[in-house]
Amino acid sequence: VFFGFYRRGSLDLPCLNMPLLYLAGILSILLLSFILVVRRTIVGYKHTWMLRKRYNMNVSYKIFCGWDFTIQDSDSASLKRGCIRNDLKLLLEEQRFSMRVAQRKLGQKVRLYLLRFFLNVLVLSLLGGAFYLIFFAINTSMKKTAYQGVIKLVFEYLPPVTITFVNLLLPHIFRKISTFEDYSFTMQINSTLVRSIFLKLASLGIYLMGETALRAHVLLPFQCRENRLGKEMYKLSIFNFLATICNAFLFNFPRKFLQEACPSSLLARLSGQQRFLIPFNVLDLVYGQTVSWMGVYYCPLLPLIGTVTLIVTFYIKKVTVLWCCRPEQRMFRASNSSVLFHFMLLLGLIMAAVTLGF
């Protein structure tokens, strides 16, 4: 499963140069992934650029020229009507926001810029606290090696649990903070995504650097550093999947049952109705793929594990959406964020390649 298994003669084929074949396989995976991600990013950018030119047209064009007269199915027609309606809603909301921005006075602008400055300082403080918490968890897990049993297991899994907890909590805090910055809805989503992906990628980088730097003083001479890193990436992937399961079965479904059984209770009113946040769920996929890329050198079966977890995650999310969530009221153009998603994926791949290079 891990790096240390693949040495010359490990597959009962003495003539096979297993280390060279192993390295060639890993490089092929990363190179193929790089080509596909770059291609998809370029295609998505061209598509977004064309859509941006289209969206600059007036409302009359959207109303009288937006229909596809080749549609013959009633379901497709309903879907097309919904797309046009949502497009018009978003256009009117953006125009309303632009008018409100144009009517701001100098004092309002100064107060808004000061508020945004303090909110960004708060975001940086949260990021710094999260990174320190991750480093503290790594350092604590290495020092508490004298314990046995359950306590030793808790300290052993403390870093991946900490990273998973931070990655689950802080993006929602960033989303709440962005609502006070008085940006457009699309800009709020993009700013939250940028902060969240920086959190996730930086936490992975700190985790790997901490494991590499601190574990070097702890490992015994006969222990393999690559095997240790492979186990850590494996634990990160598993805990990310467990977080998805726990979020669905321990939070989403009980919340839905509470709202159906006791809709007038205080807890049901405070929790509110659930919404399926597409950007955050896509961001989780980007994070999971980055973990697979960063761990494929140390744990070659990690992409297979990631594929299985993605399939199970898809059906869990599907059931959650159909049973527990209601549609989002505010619209945003997913095409504008799709390029950002692909760029984040490319950034994660580059980060994985740089990490493996060092």
Side-chain angles (χ1 to χ4, degrees):
V1 178
F2 299 108
F3 175 87
F5 173 78
Y6 298 91
R7 56 184 182 272
R8 186 181 293 273
S10 59
L11 297 179
D12 296 330
L13 296 173
C15 61
L16 187 63
N17 192 344
M18 181 55 65
L20 182 60
L21 184 62
Y22 181 88
L23 182 61
I26 299 301
L27 292 179
S28 300
I29 292 174
L30 295 178
L31 181 60
L32 181 61
S33 300
F34 179 77
I35 294 173
L36 293 177
V37 173
V38 169
R39 178 183 177 276
R40 186 57 190 168
T41 304
I42 295 174
V43 171
Y45 178 77
K46 291 171 60 178
H47 180 68
T48 303
W49 179 76
M50 294 175 63
L51 284 178
R52 189 179 294 117
K53 293 186 64 177
R54 174 189 168 191
Y55 284 131
N56 289 332
M57 300 178 182
N58 53 24
V59 181
S60 61
Y61 176 83
K62 296 177 182 294
I63 295 176
F64 296 106
C65 301
W67 184 256
D68 186 3
F69 290 94
T70 61
I71 295 177
Q72 298 180 358
D73 184 58
S74 59
D75 294 335
S76 301
S78 300
L79 182 61
K80 184 63 177 179
R81 283 197 300 269
C83 292
I84 296 176
R85 181 174 61 252
N86 294 335
D87 193 11
L88 292 175
K89 286 182 179 179
L90 181 58
L91 177 64
L92 294 175
E93 183 178 354
E94 289 179 348
Q95 290 182 352
R96 192 181 303 113
F97 178 79
S98 300
M99 293 176 59
R100 186 161 56 86
V101 170
Q103 294 174 356
R104 288 174 183 166
K105 298 181 180 179
L106 180 60
Q108 294 176 339
K109 292 181 180 179
V110 172
R111 288 194 297 269
L112 180 60
Y113 292 151
L114 288 176
L115 177 61
R116 290 176 179 175
F117 173 76
F118 287 116
L119 290 177
N120 282 288
V121 171
L122 177 60
V123 169
L124 292 177
S125 301
L126 291 174
L127 289 173
F131 298 154
Y132 176 77
L133 184 62
I134 294 171
F135 185 80
F136 177 77
I138 297 173
N139 196 19
T140 304
S141 67
M142 294 179 184
K143 290 182 178 179
K144 306 297 182 180
T145 56
Y147 293 101
Q148 299 295 329
V150 179
I151 299 180
K152 181 180 179 180
L153 187 65
V154 170
F155 282 110
E156 182 74 18
Y157 285 89
L158 183 61
V161 171
T162 304
I163 292 180
T164 303
F165 174 75
V166 166
N167 289 336
L168 283 177
L169 179 63
L170 284 189
H172 294 281
I173 297 179
F174 293 157
R175 183 171 64 91
K176 293 296 183 182
I177 290 176
S178 65
T179 58
F180 295 99
E181 293 178 318
D182 200 12
Y183 289 120
S184 63
F185 186 58
T186 303
M187 185 62 185
Q188 291 178 20
I189 292 176
N190 290 335
S191 63
T192 304
L193 288 177
V194 170
R195 292 164 179 170
S196 301
I197 196 61
F198 178 76
L199 167 69
K200 291 176 180 289
L201 295 183
S203 62
L204 275 179
I206 292 174
Y207 185 50
L208 280 179
M209 287 190 297
E211 287 288 336
T212 304
L214 298 179
R215 292 282 182 187
H217 305 286
V218 179
L219 292 177
L220 298 176
F222 59 86
Q223 291 180 322
C224 181
R225 182 181 70 91
E226 286 77 10
N227 283 358
R228 181 68 195 184
L229 290 176
K231 292 178 182 178
E232 297 301 326
M233 292 294 102
Y234 172 78
K235 287 190 288 187
L236 270 181
S237 179
I238 294 300
F239 268 96
N240 188 35
F241 176 63
L242 291 178
T244 302
I245 296 178
C246 293
N247 186 44
F249 293 100
L250 299 181
F251 180 73
N252 291 333
F253 286 106
R255 182 179 174 184
K256 178 65 174 179
F257 294 151
L258 176 64
Q259 292 174 352
E260 290 181 351
C262 305
S264 59
S265 63
L266 178 61
L267 185 59
R269 293 198 302 269
L270 290 177
S271 60
Q273 293 183 338
Q274 302 179 60
R275 296 182 178 89
F276 187 74
L277 302 175
I278 297 178
F280 283 173
N281 286 275
V282 176
L283 193 61
D284 291 337
L285 298 179
V286 173
Y287 172 74
Q289 184 60 53
T290 305
V291 172
S292 297
W293 279 331
M294 297 184 72
V296 66
Y297 179 75
Y298 309 107
C299 181
L301 292 183
L302 197 59
L304 178 61
I305 298 172
T307 303
V308 175
T309 56
L310 279 178
I311 295 174
V312 179
T313 301
F314 169 77
Y315 287 103
I316 292 176
K317 296 290 186 181
K318 180 180 178 180
V319 174
T320 303
V321 170
L322 295 179
W323 288 6
C324 304
C325 299
R326 69 182 183 91
E328 178 65 56
Q329 298 298 321
R330 301 182 67 182
M331 303 297 166
F332 77 102
R333 292 194 181 103
S335 58
N336 292 340
S337 300
S338 62
V339 178
L340 184 60
F341 288 137
H342 290 109
F343 178 75
M344 292 174 181
L345 198 60
L346 180 61
L347 187 62
L349 178 58
I350 294 175
M351 179 181 173
V354 171
T355 304
L356 295 178
F358 286 100

